[in-house]
Amino acid sequence: MESTASAPDPADVESIDAIVTAAYDGISGPDGKKRDWDRERSLYFPGARLIPTATKAGGPPSRASGVAGENVDLAPQILDIDGFIARVEPFFEENGFYEKEIARRTEQFGNLAHVWSIYESRHNEDDPEPFMRGINSIQLFNDGQRWWIVNIYWQQEGAAVPIPEEYLN
């Protein structure tokens, strides 16, 4: 069942930078803090997909899961925004989660944009080291009025799959 999004804050969707920042802000916070899911939903085009690269067994070793590890036996897990929320809410109840972008590569053609967004995840904002890093592949669309997230597809870094150095600059 597709969710209906509330009207976005115009500042969240006015540019590629704004919508990517809003997406990270929306999922970040201390343990037990209810996220503003209406704000998060407002960023996504109807029918948008959030696609973690997860273990085939269904475990969540990626974004907002808290489990860092090897990228073994992976497959895409295709979710809509409500499926993503259901997947991460139990984790957020028990764990702080702060994800921030540390580097970006953007390509744009007309109303389409693709962002390679390199991220770090921490349980607390002031943790000295991230517990996880990875890359979000974000596809965006501008309808002439605002930017929309069409898909986010991501994979965490692992020993066998480090983030390429050129992506960190």
Side-chain angles (χ1 to χ4, degrees):
M1 178 180 195
E2 291 294 324
S3 65
T4 55
S6 60
D9 177 339
D12 282 349
V13 297
E14 68 185 3
S15 68
I16 293 169
D17 184 57
I19 198 167
V20 170
T21 299
Y24 281 114
D25 286 348
I27 62 169
S28 295
D31 63 312
K33 178 184 181 249
K34 182 99 170 134
R35 304 310 195 260
D36 183 349
W37 293 125
D38 286 338
R39 178 188 184 203
E40 193 72 13
R41 284 182 183 98
S42 77
L43 306 176
Y44 291 84
F45 195 80
R49 296 294 177 239
L50 294 91
I51 309 169
T53 304
T55 60
K56 290 181 186 173
S62 59
R63 188 174 192 224
S65 71
V67 180
E70 293 307 308
N71 294 305
V72 179
D73 203 23
L74 297 176
Q77 181 183 22
I78 300 171
L79 306 167
D80 62 12
I81 185 65
D82 289 319
F84 172 76
I85 291 167
R87 180 179 189 264
V88 298
E89 263 191 323
F91 178 78
F92 292 161
E93 275 298 312
E94 304 291 324
N95 301 275
F97 184 79
Y98 293 87
E99 190 166 87
K100 73 173 189 172
E101 184 177 64
I102 59 169
R104 181 189 304 173
R105 294 178 148 206
T106 302
E107 294 182 0
Q108 183 178 348
F109 175 75
N111 296 57
L112 307 177
H114 178 251
V115 175
W116 287 107
S117 179
I118 297 74
Y119 64 85
E120 292 182 339
S121 303
R122 290 175 166 72
H123 292 296
N124 298 295
E125 282 184 291
D126 58 357
D127 286 347
E129 295 294 323
F131 69 86
M132 177 173 57
R133 295 187 330 166
I135 297 180
N136 288 317
S137 171
I138 307 171
Q139 291 76 51
L140 301 155
F141 169 69
N142 188 302
D143 65 4
Q145 310 247 342
R146 58 160 290 181
W147 284 98
W148 295 89
I149 298 173
V150 176
N151 289 302
I152 299 182
Y153 184 29
W154 67 92
Q155 182 172 347
Q156 77 180 47
E157 178 179 50
V161 186
I163 295 173
E165 199 58 42
E166 63 267 19
Y167 280 51
L168 296 168
N169 300 322

